[in-house]
Amino acid sequence: MSNINILDCTLRDGGYINNWNFGRKTISQIISKLSAANIDIIECGFIDDVEYDSDKSIFNSIESLKKIIEPKNKNVLYVGMIAQPYIPIEKVSDFDGSSIDGIRLTFHENEVDEALVYAKQLIEKGYKVFIQPVGTSSYSDLKLLELVKKVNEIKPYAFYLVDTLGVMYKNDLLRMYHLLDNNLDESILVGFHSHNNLQLSFSNAQELLTLHSKREIIIDSSVFGMGRGAGNLCTELITQYINDNLIYSYDVIPLLEIYDEHLSKINNDVSWGYSIPYYLAATYMCHPNYASYLLNKQTITVKSISKILAKLPIDKRDIYDTDLIEEQYLKYQKNLIDDSNFLYELKQELKDQEILVIGPGASVNLENNKIQELIKNQNPYIISVNYIPDNISLNALFISNSKRYKDLNGQIENFREHGLVIATSNIANEKEIDKMVNYSDLLVQDELISDDSCLMLMNLLKKMSVSRVYLAGFDGYSYIKSENYNRIDLIYNNNQQELILKNHLIQKNLNLLSNFIDILFVTTSIYNQK
């Protein structure tokens, strides 16, 4: 067996899940328990040129890192990661043994020269430097050898093989490892950092453990695989495997305690791990954030996500571009139709009507008496958004979300016996839709909520010159998923951080709409600021 080192990156790679906001006490406790588990290398977080927040595992100096690793375990190597744009080199104090021992340096293929100059400066300051190119698995053999030649000149502590897209099978891994092993200076360790899109992280790590090589190897992992998208290799799994099959080296119990005492609470609100969209991201060799972006839209099916990823330009797939994926998403959704006749008819039908719009919020059930009282007193024209509520008789159903449309299954056919089905043109034009309106004409300017269904309906009502709208069930998003909807079948696995950000953007757009429409909230809502 090669000399294997396990590097735990929970506090750094796992931080993508919770914006690195673990809390100061938790950060220290995680480091302490990783040390107690005999983990060889502990990555404490990012080092960046930002204002320091002691509750986050992002540090603005070597000194701020010192505070959270004291007392140091002499058997542990403590490291931090620096990513582009790099913190000014003069802000990185010289190594004196009291803080972290090493620095991991990450960069893209077009940033190699700058990264290696910076790496050399860090080495001169006394740090063990880990060279970690993004997406090494997508390098051609020639490009990889050119990089290795440059790396050999500065002789860092370690050089990494990084499977950013989570697409490497056994043969790919072994071929690239041996390419590195045969060409990299023998003093340099080889590291392996993988993402788990195809569930290969554990099996690939086992392959590395069977190699008969004199070179030391570093395998990255995180507790419970915590990391964005499909996550990473699980520290508790790989350490237990080494204990059972090679040599007893690690105490797994402290790792399980990290999950039990800290990560389980985060996992209850934000999930990570294997999923079909991340599998698709690997299949189409694209950055996992493209898949997560489409997944968090919660408006399209997996089949649609597959089609959008397939159309991404090959040369732009491995570096995430928010503008590109938004453009592709809207392009896919766009299906222009001539809706002028229907808009005229709808305007006539809504003329002089009181309008009540029903959303899916929990308040529809909790404050149903308020809704029924309004219906009794105002006799409004009632429109629901993307679902058919219980115990409320509707005049119309508005659908702009193809995923919600599919969930309705056979309910729409029964509904059409007494109500009108209005859908935006991104929905498949099937027989059970009565009228369609142009999807792109109702979009909101803010990217994150560009096709928020409530706002799209409000934009439609604005086009209809509606003067007043009552809103019920538009409660606003909460961190607690069960509080966001009035039925369990409406709950999706959303990115909770994005949901909270959406609250601000939705509020802003409702304020703009209030210049044209008198918006009255029937049930409790965080958007009701009057």
Side-chain angles (χ1 to χ4, degrees):
M1 173 185 122
S2 300
N3 189 358
I4 298 294
N5 300 277
I6 298 300
L7 183 151
D8 184 273
C9 57
T10 305
L11 289 170
R12 198 271 307 171
D13 220 1
Y16 285 103
I17 293 295
N18 63 344
N19 197 31
W20 297 274
N21 192 15
F22 291 92
R24 181 184 176 88
K25 183 178 179 181
T26 294
I27 293 171
S28 294
Q29 288 180 347
I30 288 177
I31 290 174
S32 177
K33 288 186 181 295
L34 290 173
S35 175
N38 299 321
I39 297 302
D40 305 286
I41 308 173
I42 299 174
E43 187 176 37
C44 305
F46 274 111
I47 306 170
D48 201 357
D49 193 14
V50 296
E51 183 177 345
Y52 178 51
D53 181 344
S54 62
D55 285 327
K56 291 190 174 185
S57 52
I58 300 178
F59 307 88
N60 64 355
S61 68
I62 300 299
E63 288 70 30
S64 59
L65 273 158
K66 177 181 177 180
K67 300 173 185 177
I68 55 101
I69 62 178
E70 291 179 330
K72 290 181 68 175
N73 181 337
K74 65 180 181 179
N75 297 316
V76 172
L77 196 66
Y78 299 88
V79 301
M81 176 175 277
I82 298 180
Q84 285 278 17
Y86 298 145
I87 184 171
I89 194 67
E90 60 271 14
K91 291 190 176 183
V92 181
S93 57
D94 291 349
F95 172 74
D96 64 5
S98 64
S99 185
I100 58 172
D101 309 289
I103 294 175
R104 306 228 284 171
L105 199 63
T106 183
F107 53 91
H108 292 94
E109 192 171 345
N110 63 336
E111 301 164 338
V112 168
D113 292 337
E114 178 189 354
L116 295 184
V117 169
Y118 194 85
K120 187 176 180 181
Q121 292 172 320
L122 292 174
I123 293 172
E124 291 170 351
K125 284 178 175 286
Y127 294 97
K128 297 181 187 297
V129 173
F130 299 60
I131 300 295
Q132 190 158 335
V134 174
T136 327
S137 55
S138 63
Y139 277 58
S140 67
D141 288 355
L142 180 60
K143 286 289 186 182
L144 186 58
L145 289 173
E146 288 176 356
L147 177 56
V148 166
K149 184 178 179 181
K150 294 178 180 179
V151 168
N152 284 339
E153 294 175 3
I154 64 172
K155 290 184 173 57
Y157 180 75
F159 179 84
Y160 260 76
L161 175 57
V162 183
D163 187 12
T164 303
L165 305 180
V167 297
M168 295 186 73
Y169 288 98
K170 168 185 172 181
N171 290 342
D172 302 317
L173 171 66
L174 295 181
R175 180 184 61 79
M176 295 197 79
Y177 172 79
H178 288 302
L179 188 66
L180 292 181
D181 193 32
N182 289 325
N183 292 278
L184 200 62
D185 187 283
E186 63 182 14
S187 66
I188 304 172
L189 282 66
V190 170
F192 179 56
H193 182 92
S194 63
H195 292 161
N196 212 17
N197 297 49
L198 298 181
Q199 293 286 76
L200 295 171
S201 291
F202 191 30
S203 60
N204 280 339
Q206 292 178 51
E207 290 296 331
L208 289 179
L209 293 173
T210 64
L211 293 175
H212 297 284
S213 172
K214 295 180 181 179
R215 190 185 299 275
E216 287 194 46
I217 294 175
I218 305 169
I219 296 178
D220 287 9
S221 61
S222 61
V223 177
F224 200 62
M226 187 178 183
R228 62 182 168 187
N232 307 309
L233 170 66
C234 295
T235 305
E236 64 276 12
L237 293 184
I238 192 60
T239 51
Q240 186 65 53
Y241 178 86
I242 292 172
N243 286 347
D244 290 344
N245 295 279
L246 300 171
I247 183 172
Y248 192 90
S249 302
Y250 305 100
D251 185 352
V252 178
I253 294 301
L255 302 176
L256 303 182
E257 290 176 335
I258 289 174
Y259 174 76
D260 186 44
E261 297 170 12
H262 305 290
L263 306 190
S264 61
K265 301 169 187 175
I266 300 171
N267 192 232
N268 285 336
D269 292 327
V270 187
S271 61
W272 61 86
Y274 176 78
S275 73
I276 294 300
Y278 298 122
Y279 152 75
L280 289 172
T283 301
Y284 292 110
M285 298 286 286
C286 63
H287 196 288
N289 280 4
Y290 285 126
S292 61
Y293 179 89
L294 297 173
L295 179 66
N296 288 329
K297 282 286 188 181
Q298 295 295 324
T299 57
I300 54 177
T301 63
V302 167
K303 183 177 180 180
S304 297
I305 291 175
S306 176
K307 290 180 178 179
I308 294 171
L309 294 178
K311 291 182 179 180
L312 289 174
I314 298 295
D315 61 342
K316 295 184 178 180
R317 292 189 181 189
D318 59 342
I319 298 179
Y320 182 60
D321 184 334
T322 308
D323 293 335
L324 173 64
I325 192 62
E326 174 71 4
E327 176 187 331
Q328 294 295 319
Y329 169 74
L330 294 177
K331 183 178 179 181
Y332 178 82
Q333 294 279 68
K334 191 174 183 179
N335 178 26
L336 292 177
I337 60 171
D338 182 3
D339 58 3
S340 56
N341 288 336
F342 170 63
L343 292 180
Y344 175 79
E345 294 170 3
L346 183 63
K347 188 172 184 177
Q348 298 306 308
E349 184 170 356
L350 298 182
K351 187 177 182 180
D352 299 326
Q353 292 262 29
E354 298 287 351
I355 308 296
L356 170 60
V357 175
I358 306 290
S363 65
V364 170
N365 292 339
L366 297 174
E367 302 176 48
N368 186 257
N369 59 319
K370 294 181 180 179
I371 299 173
Q372 295 301 333
E373 183 178 356
L374 177 81
I375 293 172
K376 180 180 178 181
N377 295 334
Q378 301 292 343
N379 189 29
Y381 188 97
I382 306 175
I383 310 172
S384 70
V385 180
N386 287 329
Y387 87 113
I388 301 173
D390 301 323
N391 304 318
I392 297 177
S393 181
L394 304 174
N395 298 97
L397 169 64
F398 176 78
I399 307 173
S400 68
N401 183 318
S402 59
K403 196 167 186 177
R404 296 292 189 195
Y405 169 70
K406 190 172 183 180
D407 289 345
L408 286 167
N409 294 316
Q411 297 179 58
I412 294 180
E413 186 175 349
N414 294 330
F415 172 79
R416 290 180 68 227
E417 294 178 4
H418 59 271
L420 178 70
V421 177
I422 306 170
T424 48
S425 57
N426 58 306
I427 306 296
N429 189 10
E430 299 191 17
K431 295 179 181 179
E432 59 185 7
I433 293 176
D434 295 309
K435 299 294 181 180
M436 300 198 83
V437 293
N438 268 318
Y439 167 86
S440 57
D441 290 345
L442 304 179
L443 294 175
V444 178
Q445 291 299 314
D446 292 290
E447 181 181 288
L448 189 61
I449 57 164
S450 60
D451 56 354
D452 177 84
S453 298
C454 172
L455 294 177
M456 291 182 76
L457 175 56
M458 292 297 289
N459 281 338
L460 175 61
L461 296 176
K462 175 187 169 186
K463 288 167 70 77
M464 299 299 98
S465 300
V466 169
S467 60
R468 181 164 54 221
V469 173
Y470 294 93
L471 293 181
F474 292 96
D475 307 353
Y477 292 112
S478 164
Y479 276 112
I480 303 173
K481 294 179 183 178
S482 59
E483 293 182 355
N484 288 333
Y485 300 96
N486 62 58
R487 291 203 313 243
I488 192 169
D489 61 298
L490 296 173
I491 299 174
Y492 286 153
N493 289 322
N494 298 96
N495 180 319
Q496 296 302 102
Q497 296 285 347
E498 285 195 0
L499 289 182
I500 302 306
L501 179 57
K502 285 181 179 181
N503 283 335
H504 168 71
L505 296 175
I506 290 172
Q507 178 72 71
K508 183 184 79 171
N509 280 274
L510 285 174
N511 289 343
L512 291 173
L513 282 163
S514 66
N515 293 321
F516 306 92
I517 302 175
D518 186 16
I519 300 174
L520 302 173
F521 288 88
V522 181
T523 58
T524 302
S525 171
I526 66 171
Y527 307 129
N528 185 11
Q529 297 187 346
K530 293 183 179 180

